[in-house]
Amino acid sequence: MIAYKPARIIESLVIPVGALLTGTALFGLFCAALGENGFAVFHSIYRAAFADWYSWQNTLTRAAPLLLCGLCTALPARAGLIVIGNEGAMVVGAIGAVSAGLAFPDAPHIASILLMAAAGMICGGLWICIAASLHHFRGVNAVISSLLLNYIAIALLNHLIEGPMRDPASLNNPSTRPLAAAQHLGLIPGSRVHDGLLFGLAACAAAWFLFSRTAFGFSARVVGGNIRAAQLCGIGIGRVLLILSFLGGACAGLAGMVEVAAVQGRANASVNTGYGYAGILVAFLARHNPAGIVLVSLLLGGIVASGGMLQRAHNLPDAAVMVLQGILFLVILCSETLYGRWTERRLRAN
Amino acid sequence: MAAGRSGGCVPTEAPMEGWGVVLGVAAGAVRGSIPYLFVSLGECLTEKSGKINLGMEGVLLMGAVTAFGVSDRSGSPWFGLLAAALAGAILGALHAGLTRLPRVNDVASGIAMILFGSGLAFFIGKQFVAPMAPQLPLIDLGGWSASPAIRSALRISPLFFCGIALGFALDFVFRRTRWGLYVRASGDDPMAARSIGIPVGAVRMAATVVGASMAAVGGAHLTLYYPGIWSEGISGGQGLMAVALVIFARWQPLRCVLAALLFGGAQALGPSLQAAGQTGYYQLFNASPYLLTLTLMALTGSRHGGLSGAPGSLGRSG
């Protein structure tokens, strides 16, 4: 038992780092197969993402929605429910936030930010709750139902921006009316990074506190670890699942609010950004651990931020970033099989 | 409005508009059901063996882009079809190989395959934005009719008949053949199957590879049929809906065929109504297949999970 714990810590560091290195090496080979120098590609990614303060700001701006969308999958996953409706919850959150903002255009800055955030979070939370309650009450697979909900949310967005909520002045790119200047999210002092990053970090800290310091978080981990044991302890499984799904959806909804209040200034088709799908990857890479989500979001934010650079410097299509993400995801999944191989041997040897 | 009408079927007489919608939906059901048909039959085969392949969305997109590229470069759509099936088989082998490892979850691997497959497809597809690839020849069944609407509705892709035949063939294989028994036994109770000497791992591998290659043929239909262009939004989640459709069809190939037709029809509802002049809710009608799937899954499910007809070991590692 003495040798067990350090071995586990070493394992939980060595395996993900090794998997990341293997994944990048495979992507390097992929680039080499296309006639690009893999090392040059990685150098470009580094320069575009982490080399100086300017690129760090790009990375941090992209990390903000990733933090929030990662939590959307990670929170219910701690209780064993896999939800991938991040994109839909984000879109619905954006719709809710814009509706609230446009309904009270004259509210002061703080009040309207709070109002829009609350509206986005409630809409996103209820959206994911649909998938969780279908799972709990009707036994519907939450992966599939939440994915279908994504497409429904996007259709709803398109309907609203082309129909009832359309600003007649938006001709080629149907949008809602713009938000007032007082309703825009501010920037973190001394940078170009918007306050959404603070929202994301606060949400991760809150999630960490929830899981490691509260009774509810503990019961959620019991539900995720062994549902039969949770039933025997008298934990209300439906309650745990629904609350976690609401919280997760609320995070993605907040990401939608950030997207309209800090980036677009209105709701249009660009609200459907793809951050939701990247959030699934974030959650899985971080193994649904809030602290891990911060690290992985920075890494993926950097990779996403370097998409433009890859296009300009190496003539790689922007989908190259998606390929890199896919390869990383597959390799990380593969590495799951390695956990426990050495530690259990150590345990037996002792 | 004029543009919408020219897309419609019989623009002259008002009473014909209702028929225009019906005909449009029927033709759309035949056309739109083909991807669902192939993906759902492929997924049905995979799930009967006890594996889930959620990555069908990625497979569908890879099939579409491979078929487009090969058919464009070689000039023969049939080569495109073959290449698509091969690409699907490779992705299927990757998924099956990964999930054979202990502790690797089917669902997580499926999500990864969606990301990887679609990323790779978009990557490859960047060079094919504008041109149109050679198309599969169509079978013309409407020669007897004078109405151009009926004639265009009855020009049907050969893949439609292949898909229907495949449904019957799978049903026969599952019911009447030794291979079908192997697949069903591996899916229902892998321990028992192993004890009588069925190589469960190999059976699942084969079922996943063949299933994914069927799904990729469905993807090939997307680019080898009118309008025959490649775009990133070409599948619109059809790969995943087909996975849901297998659950709805309770893992029976013939019901998959019917469900695929239903979905194709639901998908054609929006454009047909738009052609008939109902443009207000076009975007919402686009959501109808997704809503339909969700409603059907909710109605056919039960509180205690365990759907009747599900392979016994589905989604469990074993």
Side-chain angles (χ1 to χ4, degrees), chain B residues 11-157:
Chain B
T12 44
E13 296 155 81
M16 285 301 279
E17 283 207 337
W19 283 110
V21 171
V22 171
L23 197 61
V25 170
V30 168
R31 192 169 48 234
S33 66
I34 297 174
Y36 291 121
L37 204 54
F38 280 91
V39 180
S40 66
L41 289 174
E43 183 69 23
C44 181
L45 174 62
T46 308
E47 292 195 8
K48 275 277 192 194
S49 81
K51 278 243 173 287
I52 301 176
N53 187 357
L54 275 183
M56 287 301 195
E57 180 75 20
V59 173
L60 194 72
L61 281 164
M62 271 307 283
V65 80
T66 316
F68 188 92
V70 171
S71 141
D72 187 40
R73 295 285 147 87
S74 72
S76 158
W78 300 105
F79 276 129
L81 207 60
L82 205 65
L86 196 66
I90 294 171
L91 281 183
L94 189 58
H95 176 76
L98 271 180
T99 50
R100 266 181 101 161
L101 298 170
R103 261 188 273 243
V104 178
N105 180 300
D106 281 11
V107 170
S109 166
I111 300 170
M113 293 300 293
I114 296 176
L115 197 67
F116 178 66
S118 40
L120 201 58
F122 296 168
F123 188 95
I124 298 170
K126 280 292 171 194
Q127 31 185 332
F128 305 133
V129 187
M132 181 175 156
Q135 304 288 293
L136 285 175
L138 298 176
I139 298 174
D140 203 344
L141 295 179
W144 49 270
S145 168
S147 154
I150 293 177
R151 277 165 79 161
S152 80
L154 284 179
R155 284 167 58 80
I156 295 171
S157 166

Side-chain angles (χ1 to χ4, degrees), chain A residues 34 134 136-140 143-145 147-148 151 155 158-159 162 284 317-320 323 329-330 333-334 337 339, chain B residues 54 98 102-104 107-109 112 116 119 122-123 126 237 240-241 244 281 283-284 287 294 297-299 301-303:
Chain A
L34 294 167
L134 282 177
H136 184 66
F137 296 113
R138 302 297 306 164
V140 175
V143 174
I144 292 174
S145 67
L147 212 121
L148 295 174
Y151 291 102
N158 287 337
H159 174 68
E162 287 181 13
F284 273 92
D318 51 359
V323 175
F329 200 164
L330 285 174
L333 271 179
C334 253
T337 192
Y339 283 94
Chain B
L54 275 183
L98 271 180
R103 261 188 273 243
V104 178
V107 170
S109 166
F116 178 66
F122 296 168
F123 188 95
K126 280 292 171 194
L240 264 140
M241 282 160 59
Y281 292 91
Q283 295 289 354
L284 284 187
L294 210 55
M297 289 203 324
L299 291 180
S302 82
R303 176 153 197 164

Side-chain angles (χ1 to χ4, degrees), chain A residues 208-239:
Chain A
W208 171 82
F209 184 81
L210 181 74
F211 283 120
S212 55
R213 292 287 181 272
T214 66
F216 176 78
F218 181 71
S219 59
R221 291 195 327 220
V222 175
V223 172
N226 185 337
I227 202 157
R228 199 55 70 74
Q231 273 168 334
L232 285 174
C233 299
I235 296 172
I237 291 170
R239 184 174 143 266

